[in-house]
Amino acid sequence: MEKITFTDPDTQEETEFFCLEQTQINNQNYILVTEEEDGDSEAYILRETSFGQGETVYEMVDEDAELEAIGKVFAELMEDVDLEY
């Protein structure tokens, strides 16, 4: 499983996530990440907001309607994982 390091632009604090799945909907890229490689863990859906100069910027999806819609897509892509959103 691919490990991705994210850096908070305000604090420069780094956080590592494991990328479980990725998808593109209406030309918008999304990734599903988790804090732990195995077992139960919090998962987050991130939306790509920009790409350039060698780095990609993601933001957490927090709008309920978008979160539910994208969550359903990831649930279908990952049949063996129980997602609650």
Side-chain angles (χ1 to χ4, degrees):
M1 186 176 313
E2 183 179 358
K3 195 177 209 180
I4 303 171
T5 302
F6 290 90
T7 304
D8 184 307
D10 298 327
T11 65
Q12 298 302 313
E13 181 179 340
E14 291 187 348
T15 305
E16 292 184 333
F17 291 108
F18 294 93
C19 184
L20 299 176
E21 187 64 74
Q22 60 185 9
T23 191
Q24 185 177 60
I25 300 170
N26 295 329
N27 293 322
Q28 182 68 60
N29 293 321
Y30 294 91
I31 58 174
L32 178 66
V33 298
T34 186
E35 297 171 341
E36 303 293 328
E37 185 173 13
D38 297 319
D40 291 340
S41 177
E42 293 287 322
Y44 306 98
I45 296 175
L46 306 175
R47 175 188 336 101
E48 184 179 306
T49 59
S50 66
F51 182 83
Q53 299 178 355
E55 72 181 46
T56 304
V57 177
Y58 287 93
E59 342 182 296
M60 287 200 184
V61 174
D62 55 4
E63 181 185 317
D64 290 340
E66 182 180 17
L67 188 61
E68 185 174 341
I70 304 305
K72 287 179 182 179
V73 171
F74 280 123
E76 288 180 21
L77 290 171
M78 302 183 65
E79 295 173 355
D80 60 335
V81 175
D82 183 29
L83 297 177
E84 295 178 21
Y85 40 89

